[in-house]
Amino acid sequence: MMINPTYTGKQYWLTTVVSGLLLSVILSTVYIVFYERLYVESSYLFSIIYLIPFVWLSATLAYFKNKFVWSSFPYGRAFLMGFVCGIVGAALFSGVIFLLYSYFGMESRMGLYENGRFMRELFSPKAAAISMLIINVILSLVYSLIIAIFARKKI
């Protein structure tokens, strides 16, 4: 008789939250390294920040599917795992961005826009953090919709 082990709710949510935490650490580290070492006014390297969640969410779902899922893994569960992981990572990453710009001396480096009050507010730490949060949540939604198609498993 063959036993089909499958995942528990604890394994599912623990994998999701830990993966989101690690995603925020990776995003923060890459952002700081690019900002400090590779900053050029018209650099396209910062677009890697937007591709990291795609790769990380794909790896998380592949790991979970291969490690814990032996029976069916529906599209909804795969989507929810990717999206919640992306939201956790985006929220913590935007918090790190806010702290870096507010308290740890990172400057906006937008020298062209130092004069206007509106532009100063537009590039404030709060605005930068909120824009990163919105962008990463939208990207997580799109990435999760795509990745869940390949992560689902039918018997």
Side-chain angles (χ1 to χ4, degrees):
M1 178 160 92
M2 192 160 175
I3 299 173
N4 288 331
T6 187
Y7 62 93
T8 63
K10 184 178 179 180
Q11 291 169 331
Y12 180 84
W13 289 109
L14 186 65
T15 303
T16 303
V17 171
V18 169
S19 181
L21 291 171
L22 291 174
L23 175 62
S24 70
V25 168
I26 291 170
L27 284 172
S28 301
T29 304
V30 170
Y31 187 84
I32 291 169
V33 167
F34 281 1
Y35 186 88
E36 292 295 325
R37 304 282 182 220
L38 301 173
Y39 185 81
V40 181
E41 211 167 299
S42 61
S43 175
Y44 295 103
L45 285 174
F46 275 90
S47 2
I48 292 174
I49 295 291
Y50 304 116
L51 296 176
I52 290 172
F54 181 74
V55 173
W56 188 259
L57 296 177
S58 299
T60 298
L61 284 166
Y63 170 79
F64 185 80
K65 182 177 150 184
N66 292 328
K67 182 81 173 172
F68 298 115
V69 178
W70 291 71
S71 62
S72 66
F73 190 46
Y75 177 84
R77 298 294 285 179
F79 168 75
L80 184 65
M81 177 181 253
F83 189 56
V84 170
C85 174
I87 287 175
V88 169
L92 293 174
F93 178 56
S94 66
V96 167
I97 292 294
F98 179 75
L99 291 174
L100 286 173
Y101 284 125
S102 295
Y103 301 110
F104 292 106
M106 234 183 210
E107 296 174 4
S108 177
R109 291 194 182 176
M110 294 291 172
L112 299 174
Y113 304 110
E114 287 181 3
N115 295 334
R117 179 177 164 258
F118 175 72
M119 286 300 184
R120 279 196 305 272
E121 289 177 9
L122 193 61
F123 294 110
S124 70
K126 183 176 159 185
I130 289 172
S131 68
M132 276 297 201
L133 177 68
I134 291 170
I135 289 168
N136 282 320
V137 166
I138 291 170
L139 285 176
S140 294
L141 174 68
V142 172
Y143 292 160
S144 296
L145 287 170
I146 295 168
I147 295 167
I149 294 170
F150 300 103
R152 68 182 175 181
K153 184 175 184 179
K154 295 180 182 179
I155 298 178

